[in-house]
Amino acid sequence: MELIYKSTRGQEGVTASQAILKGLADDGGLYVPTHIPALDVPVEKLAQMTYQEVAYEVMKLYLTDFTEEELKNCINKAYDSKFDAQEIAPMVYADGAYYLELFHGATIAFKDMALSILPHLMTTSAKKNYVDHEIVILTATSGDTGKAAMAGFADVEGTKIIVFYPKDGVSPVQEKQMVTQKGKNTFVVGIHGNFDDAQTGVKKMFGDKALAQLLDKNGYQFSSANSINIGRLVPQIVYYVYAYAMLVHNEEIKNGEKINVVVPTGNFGNILAAYYAKNMGLPIDRLICASNENKVLYDFFTTGIYDRNRDFILTSSPSMDILISSNLERLIYKIAGDDPNVNASLMSALSGEGKYVITPEMRESLRDFYGNYASEEETAATIHDLYEDTGYVIDTHTAVASAVYKKYVDDTSDTKKTVIASTASPFKFARSVMTAIDKKYESMDDFDLIDELSNISGVPVPKAVEELRTAPVLHTTQCDVDEMEATVKKWLNIQE
């Protein structure tokens, strides 16, 4: 049976491939499936499968207009030797929790898990829908999405990719990864603003009908590689199913035993994928949402009020420095009883007044979620203590999740087996990680720190970081927030 996708703001349905191509619905809403499909393969069987095989069993339920051959081809091209772990997403047990390492891809962050397959899903979708325009991937990044998207789309025929990032809001390694990106079809722009400014600017361009007509006249059409694209969300569901199957395979849990999942998140896509997995029938109990000091999601789960009217804080976990959690809209739509009018009015309040309040009935639907946050001091202490106690080194984002998990256990006394989404390699945030372990590292330069991190952790320097030592800077463009559209037009050489 074909699964159709509707906009969270009411627009009529499209196929999976059409939703992937468009990225964002014309009415500004996000595409969601008309129902969440149930897993149709027993966990005992999944427990014997490779990551690629599990990916097919999950994704075939969502991408129903792809043939088996098309989908398997996309999966096999994505999850190959680009990943430095055969399991693709290995798990490490440390200090009472299972760390699901989602950073073994080409850019050493969890975004690789979805962005290594999205270009293949998109080019397949373009062929299926007889698209003859060049697809322009327009993306805002808080640090990781940009590089992972460019790595995926670099020199992919029929596509161009433009990435906007906050000039002073990413780590040195994140910035170096982006500005050294090769590929004739890649373009990176540092904006004078924060991630929310970048994300708002990109969404504004998506919603601009006159700009869409101008692109069309010049042989282009926009699509997105951000987590608003359903082609990003569906591959993320896979690794939660795989993690559960691996726990069963390794006899860490019995089939059917419930687990908890902890996810460090700013834009809400990664934890939403776990929510979808739970709704497919995966035995997940609590979904633990971990925030940094930009704790807009923690406040939402605590009060039922989403309020972005607050100071934006630059933290050591920059990929979570976000005040507008785009993917939360998909959850709001669901707990509003799939009512696009309720959702649209709340989103209108968010863009107008910067806040909205959900009803008591909607709050009741959030009881599967637990929200908390970690301060900068708690994040650093978690990295230090886990290393001292176990020798295992985690990055700053994963440390936020680990710190929040300890708070959850203290608050609830719930000691179910728990998977923590480990979203980035510590090598990506070496300065913050190493100075958390010992202040003596503060005076070392970035690459000496990276070598020392390799030394103390026993983990080789990832290829993605090693290559940066000598990589030339290829992108130097910067712009103000109100110049984003003009910058896009100039690069594409668009004629008015």
Side-chain angles (χ1 to χ4, degrees):
M1 191 177 80
E2 186 163 72
L3 189 61
I4 296 299
Y5 288 81
K6 289 180 71 174
S7 165
T8 51
R9 302 187 192 180
Q11 195 174 41
E12 279 309 299
V14 296
T15 64
S17 63
Q18 288 166 341
I20 288 168
L21 277 175
K22 289 179 78 67
L24 195 66
D26 291 336
D27 59 7
L30 277 60
Y31 285 115
V32 288
T34 48
H35 69 276
I36 295 177
L39 275 172
D40 62 356
V41 176
V43 169
E44 314 89 86
K45 201 168 170 188
L46 292 169
Q48 305 308 318
M49 292 183 183
T50 64
Y51 189 89
Q52 293 84 345
E53 289 166 340
V54 172
Y56 175 73
E57 296 300 337
V58 173
M59 292 173 68
K60 73 176 188 192
L61 302 172
Y62 287 92
L63 309 182
T64 53
D65 64 330
F66 283 66
T67 66
E68 180 177 348
E69 184 185 5
E70 285 170 340
L71 187 51
K72 285 185 172 175
N73 183 46
C74 290
I75 288 166
N76 292 333
K77 281 181 176 173
Y79 305 112
D80 59 7
S81 59
K82 290 189 293 293
F83 287 80
D84 65 15
Q86 192 178 350
E87 312 96 311
I88 307 297
M91 263 191 298
V92 173
Y93 182 79
D95 194 29
Y98 296 88
Y99 288 83
L100 179 63
E101 293 189 344
L102 301 172
F103 53 77
H104 288 273
T107 73
I108 59 174
F110 82 100
K111 307 293 171 77
D112 290 322
M113 301 300 293
L115 284 164
S116 58
I117 193 168
L118 183 62
H120 305 296
L121 294 176
M122 202 167 276
T123 49
T124 304
S125 296
K127 284 182 193 138
K128 292 174 83 63
N129 290 277
Y130 307 105
V131 170
D132 54 5
H133 281 10
E134 195 156 18
I135 298 166
V136 179
I137 309 298
L138 193 61
T139 297
T141 186
S142 55
D144 288 333
T145 288
K147 172 62 182 181
M150 285 189 292
F153 280 96
D155 293 322
V156 170
E157 202 174 327
T159 69
K160 290 187 186 299
I161 178 163
I162 304 170
V163 170
F164 290 98
Y165 75 97
K167 181 70 187 76
D168 298 313
V170 299
S171 82
V173 169
Q174 285 177 312
E175 182 169 48
K176 191 94 189 280
Q177 281 188 307
M178 286 189 280
V179 299
T180 58
Q181 176 64 49
K182 296 174 186 169
K184 289 190 178 70
N185 64 336
T186 65
F187 185 45
V188 186
V189 184
I191 67 154
H192 305 136
N194 61 39
F195 169 73
D196 287 331
D197 296 324
Q199 183 166 253
T200 301
V202 163
K203 280 186 168 180
K204 189 176 164 193
M205 281 187 268
F206 271 117
D208 188 330
K209 301 276 194 295
L211 181 58
Q213 287 173 352
L214 192 58
L215 284 165
D216 182 59
K217 195 173 91 176
N218 284 267
Y220 296 117
Q221 71 180 61
F222 278 148
S223 189
S224 171
N226 278 93
S227 55
I228 55 174
N229 193 316
I230 199 70
R232 270 279 301 275
L233 185 64
V234 169
Q236 291 180 271
I237 300 167
V238 173
Y239 48 73
Y240 293 110
V241 177
Y242 179 75
Y244 189 89
M246 286 305 97
L247 288 173
V248 171
H249 176 82
N250 296 333
E251 299 181 350
E252 300 286 350
I253 59 172
K254 292 186 173 69
N255 185 16
E257 183 181 336
K258 287 196 170 185
I259 64 166
N260 294 325
V261 172
V262 190
V263 187
T265 188
N267 223 4
F268 205 73
N270 201 3
I271 195 165
L272 184 73
Y275 175 77
Y276 272 48
K278 176 181 169 78
N279 280 270
M280 292 177 76
L282 200 70
I284 295 172
D285 188 20
R286 300 302 296 278
L287 296 153
I288 300 166
C289 179
S291 302
N292 64 15
E293 288 182 353
N294 292 291
K295 55 189 181 69
V296 65
L297 286 168
Y298 163 63
D299 291 341
F300 169 70
F301 284 115
T302 307
T303 65
I305 301 167
Y306 192 96
D307 188 354
R308 65 173 170 85
N309 299 309
R310 61 184 71 203
D311 290 337
F312 184 94
I313 302 166
L314 291 173
T315 73
S316 61
S317 47
S319 299
M320 297 159 65
D321 290 347
I322 293 170
L323 296 181
I324 304 172
S325 305
S326 286
N327 267 289
L328 188 62
E329 180 170 346
R330 285 185 166 112
L331 180 65
I332 295 297
Y333 174 79
K334 183 97 168 58
I335 64 173
D338 294 352
D339 188 328
N341 297 320
V342 172
N343 176 68
S345 70
L346 292 172
M347 294 308 125
S348 176
L350 181 64
S351 59
E353 302 142 42
K355 65 185 284 190
Y356 59 79
V357 184
I358 63 172
T359 65
E361 293 76 22
M362 290 169 76
R363 279 195 75 183
E364 181 60 23
S365 300
L366 295 175
R367 60 186 176 276
D368 291 343
F369 287 90
Y370 167 93
N372 216 317
Y373 78 101
S375 69
E376 285 290 88
E377 293 74 24
E378 289 168 331
T379 302
T382 300
I383 293 169
H384 173 272
D385 294 350
L386 190 64
Y387 173 70
E388 287 293 317
D389 294 345
T390 68
Y392 186 52
V393 182
I394 55 174
D395 90 295
T396 46
H397 303 74
T398 308
V400 167
S402 187
V404 165
Y405 175 54
K406 284 191 168 50
K407 291 184 181 186
Y408 170 78
V409 174
D410 288 344
D411 286 350
T412 64
S413 302
D414 179 5
T415 56
K416 279 186 199 71
K417 301 275 173 63
T418 295
V419 169
I420 295 176
S422 184
T423 53
S425 164
F427 287 94
K428 204 156 194 172
F429 304 94
R431 181 160 300 281
S432 296
V433 169
M434 293 300 283
T435 53
I437 287 171
D438 196 321
K439 289 282 190 281
K440 73 182 182 186
Y441 295 120
E442 282 179 336
S443 59
M444 293 172 72
D445 75 26
D446 286 329
F447 279 101
D448 286 344
L449 274 175
I450 283 164
D451 290 333
E452 185 60 19
L453 172 53
S454 175
N455 185 38
I456 68 161
S457 66
V459 177
V461 177
K463 184 180 165 197
V465 175
E466 196 60 59
E467 288 172 343
L468 294 180
R469 290 184 201 266
T470 55
V473 171
L474 302 173
H475 303 273
T476 56
T477 305
Q478 296 181 33
C479 77
D480 291 332
V481 176
D482 61 3
E483 297 171 327
M484 288 170 65
E485 184 177 318
T487 304
V488 169
K489 286 177 178 174
K490 185 177 177 185
W491 185 63
L492 293 175
N493 196 24
I494 282 179
Q495 306 302 312
E496 295 284 347

